Amino acid sequence: MGVRKRNTAERIKAERKEIAFAKLTNIPSSPRKMRLVADMVRGVEVFRALGILKFSNKEAAAKLEKLLRSAIANWEAKNERKAENGELCVSTIYVNCAPMLKRLRPAPQGRGYRIRKRANHVTLVVDTIENAKKKA
């Protein structure tokens, strides 16, 4: 590996040291329902976001809460220390469509209505608050 390539790789690795992410794939709910919950926690401090998700009455909130706990654990494993209150925030969260299951439902007069069973993928990135402010 050349010197320039090695220096670039080391710089990228140092930048990624502060960031931790978690992915949840093929969640059997529509992306629109998941985005409603994801919008509630975007840019919020992680322990406050956990409180928001815990007391939300949406089904998607429980899945996002578990994903957020996983991202926090990933950050703690990378940095070899516990996350303190007011240190981390949800810097990025996005919901993408997963492949749809297409089914047919019997309809009157010999027809069939198509049912689209939607699913989604969620990616959640946790970063320190100082780094998130620098990027914004």
Side-chain angles (χ1 to χ4, degrees), residues 115-128:
I115 295 177
R116 297 176 298 175
K117 296 191 175 206
R118 298 175 186 267
N120 62 55
H121 304 310
V122 181
T123 304
L124 191 143
V125 178
V126 172
D127 196 1
T128 57

Side-chain angles (χ1 to χ4, degrees), residues 18-115:
E18 295 295 315
I19 297 173
F21 69 95
K23 287 184 180 181
L24 193 57
T25 58
N26 295 323
I27 306 166
S29 71
S30 72
R32 184 177 180 184
K33 291 176 185 176
M34 187 62 78
R35 281 187 194 110
L36 286 172
V37 180
D39 290 341
M40 289 193 298
V41 296
R42 185 175 286 120
V44 177
E45 193 267 327
V46 291
F47 293 109
R48 185 158 181 236
L50 283 173
I52 291 169
L53 293 172
K54 184 175 179 78
F55 294 107
S56 175
N57 59 359
K58 301 228 176 250
E59 182 184 342
K63 294 174 181 172
L64 267 186
E65 181 185 358
K66 190 173 180 181
L67 182 68
L68 180 57
R69 288 185 190 279
S70 176
I72 294 168
N74 290 344
W75 185 89
E76 288 174 348
K78 263 189 176 181
N79 293 285
E80 299 169 352
R81 62 189 178 94
K82 285 287 198 182
E84 297 173 8
N85 201 2
E87 183 179 13
L88 298 176
C89 72
V90 179
S91 64
T92 310
I93 181 169
Y94 51 90
V95 180
N96 294 327
C97 295
M100 242 183 291
L101 294 176
K102 293 177 179 167
R103 301 289 182 256
L104 287 176
R105 170 175 232 160
Q109 299 179 355
R111 288 191 298 261
Y113 291 157
R114 180 175 285 170
I115 295 177

